[in-house]
Amino acid sequence: MDNILIGIAGGSGSGKTTLANTLISYFGKNEVSLLRHDNYYKRLDNIPFEERVKVNYDHPDAFDTDLLCGHIMDLKAGKAIEMPVYDYSIHNRSDKIIRVQPNPVIILEGILILAEPRLVDLMDFKIYVDTDADERILRRIIRDVKERGRSLDSVITQYRETVKPMHDQFVEPSKRKANIIIPEGGRNDAAMEVIVELIRSRLR
């Protein structure tokens, strides 16, 4: 199947999802397959909830990269996949799945996707969303407290203990792998026009 895999990386709260949704609006839902890296956190059924809370989810080892790579290759081969669904309230995968159809444009969005060589090798185009750290932490607080039911203290503690150290160790250096670095993601209209035209030219 003729398609293109676009990786969208960047720190937590940088605007990756906004960029992905903007690209979907350009090409249409029936032309885009969307994969979210967060849905590929490893299953932790054998670990009690109290221990799952302490897992470092901002480290590359937290993800089931074998499953994700297999799903990407299936989509590239024209096969539908069943993407797992992660439940932040229980720090584990839920029993739900999302059926993803193969489409000309495949978007993989996640914090650490450019830090994983096997994923990078599968990508046709790599984007890094570069947003100021103060803006990112504010967005993360609003998202985790309002949408994910987290307490403010837990969000701040996690940011200090794992999010920021892992960002400095893995996420920030990974932007060297990007083909293009975009300040402010989907809100950068000029960059969006360039990206859309590049994708269209690759598909042609």
Side-chain angles (χ1 to χ4, degrees), residues 137-155:
I137 181 58
L138 286 172
R139 290 177 185 174
R140 184 181 176 100
I141 288 171
I142 292 169
R143 180 197 67 194
D144 285 4
V145 172
K146 287 188 175 181
E147 297 177 15
R148 299 179 179 174
R150 301 273 304 282
S151 69
L152 179 58
D153 285 345
S154 72
V155 175

Side-chain angles (χ1 to χ4, degrees), residues 15-82:
K16 299 180 299 300
T17 300
T18 300
L19 176 57
N21 290 337
T22 303
L23 285 174
I24 291 171
S25 71
Y26 270 96
F27 291 96
K29 290 184 178 179
N30 294 329
E31 297 295 315
V32 179
S33 303
L34 178 61
L35 302 177
R36 299 198 185 280
H37 202 200
D38 283 5
N39 281 340
Y40 287 86
Y41 279 123
K42 291 176 180 174
R43 260 202 179 280
L44 300 175
D45 296 337
N46 57 330
I47 300 176
F49 176 80
E50 294 75 16
E51 295 301 317
R52 293 201 299 268
V53 172
K54 301 174 186 177
V55 171
N56 182 357
Y57 294 99
D58 293 276
H59 192 284
D61 289 346
F63 295 89
D64 190 343
T65 303
D66 289 340
L67 178 63
L68 177 53
C69 287
H71 280 180
I72 291 171
M73 288 187 284
D74 282 343
L75 288 172
K76 280 179 165 282
K79 302 174 185 175
I81 59 108
E82 293 184 344

